[in-house]
């Protein structure tokens, strides 16, 4: 993780690095609450925005170079490719082959119908990071925790309810 952290720090602005660090903290907390191994979650969180500051045109070129299937929406909004391209770059740079880790990086922005638990945790950690507005995060935490403290004994966080709430809020904002 230290090698990855150093590599990411050299690729992003100080503001972005602070966000990434916050995502790692939330991801570790969520993983522990779910009884999930925190390592793949933290690794995915460290790498999730490693390509975020690459220009949209370059992301599109890189995605094509990696042979990724590119949707029309991604062609029009190249920044949406920072996750999938980040997964490819991270895999190549660090020899990562874990489907959980790579999907966590790739799917953190738009999600996927077939998200792994790691992917769900990274998605939620990104949207629940401390710099996000409380109007966004509060309903997601509520859905995740069913109104209880996350650390409460015996509570299994409801990842799907939280993702549904997050998706509804983001879509409402975009519309």
């Amino acid at each position: 993780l230290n090698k990855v952290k150093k590599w990411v720090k050299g690729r992003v602005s100080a503001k972005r690095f602070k966000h990434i660090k916050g995502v790692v903290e939330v991801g570790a907390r969520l993983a522990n609450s779910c009884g999930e191994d925190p390592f793949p979650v933290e690794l995915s969180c460290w790498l999730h925005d490693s390509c975020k500051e690459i220009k949209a045109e370059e992301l599109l070129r890189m995605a094509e170079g990696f042979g990724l299937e590119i949707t029309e929406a991604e062609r029009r909004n190249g920044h949406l490719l920072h996750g999938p391209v980040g997964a490819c770059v991270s895999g190549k740079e660090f020899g990562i082959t874990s489907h959980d880790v790579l999907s966590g990086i790739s799917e953190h922005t738009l999600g996927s119908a077939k998200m792994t638990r790691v992917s769900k945790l990274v998605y939620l950690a990104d949207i629940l990071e401390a710099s996000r507005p409380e109007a966004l995060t509060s309903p997601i935490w509520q859905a995740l925790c069913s109104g209880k403290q996350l650390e409460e004994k015996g509570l299994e966080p409801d990842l799907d309810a939280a993702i549904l709430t997050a998706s509804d809020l983001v879509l409402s904002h975009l519309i």
Side-chain angles (χ1 to χ4, degrees):
L1 289 178
N2 285 332
K3 183 178 180 182
V4 168
K5 180 180 174 179
K6 184 177 178 180
W7 181 78
V8 169
K9 190 172 188 175
R11 295 178 58 84
V12 299
S13 66
K15 181 179 178 182
R16 175 77 45 206
F17 188 75
K18 182 179 178 185
H19 161 72
I20 292 170
K21 196 171 163 185
V23 172
V24 172
E25 291 167 6
V26 175
R29 178 180 173 202
L30 292 174
N32 287 322
S33 295
C34 292
E36 192 73 34
D37 179 1
F39 180 79
V41 176
E42 290 181 48
L43 181 57
S44 297
C45 288
W46 275 117
L47 293 164
H48 84 283
D49 271 355
S50 61
C51 291
K52 178 77 172 181
E53 295 178 350
I54 296 174
K55 294 193 182 308
E57 304 79 31
E58 178 66 8
L59 285 169
L60 184 56
R61 187 192 64 72
M62 291 172 78
E64 289 169 342
F66 283 119
L68 297 176
E69 288 186 34
I70 303 167
T71 66
E72 188 55 40
E74 290 167 332
R75 285 198 186 282
R76 287 192 314 269
N77 303 283
H79 64 279
L80 293 174
L81 292 165
H82 78 274
V85 168
C88 292
V89 170
S90 298
K92 186 176 177 182
E93 182 72 22
F94 297 104
I96 298 169
T97 59
S98 166
H99 173 72
D100 282 341
V101 171
L102 296 174
S103 64
I105 299 165
S106 182
E107 298 170 348
H108 81 273
T109 303
L110 298 177
S112 163
K114 297 180 181 180
M115 293 172 80
T116 66
R117 281 178 65 85
V118 169
S119 211
K120 291 176 182 183
L121 291 167
V122 175
Y123 177 92
L124 289 169
D126 187 34
I127 204 160
L128 291 169
E129 187 266 327
S131 71
R132 305 294 193 196
E134 188 177 341
L136 174 66
T137 61
S138 184
I140 299 168
W141 280 115
Q142 184 74 22
L144 182 68
C145 304
S146 302
K148 301 175 186 174
Q149 288 296 335
L150 191 57
E151 291 82 11
E152 187 175 319
K153 223 177 183 157
L155 174 67
E156 175 68 21
D158 191 340
L159 302 180
D160 293 333
I163 288 171
L164 180 60
T165 300
S167 298
D168 284 347
L169 289 166
V170 169
L171 286 173
S172 293
H173 173 73
L174 292 174
I175 291 169

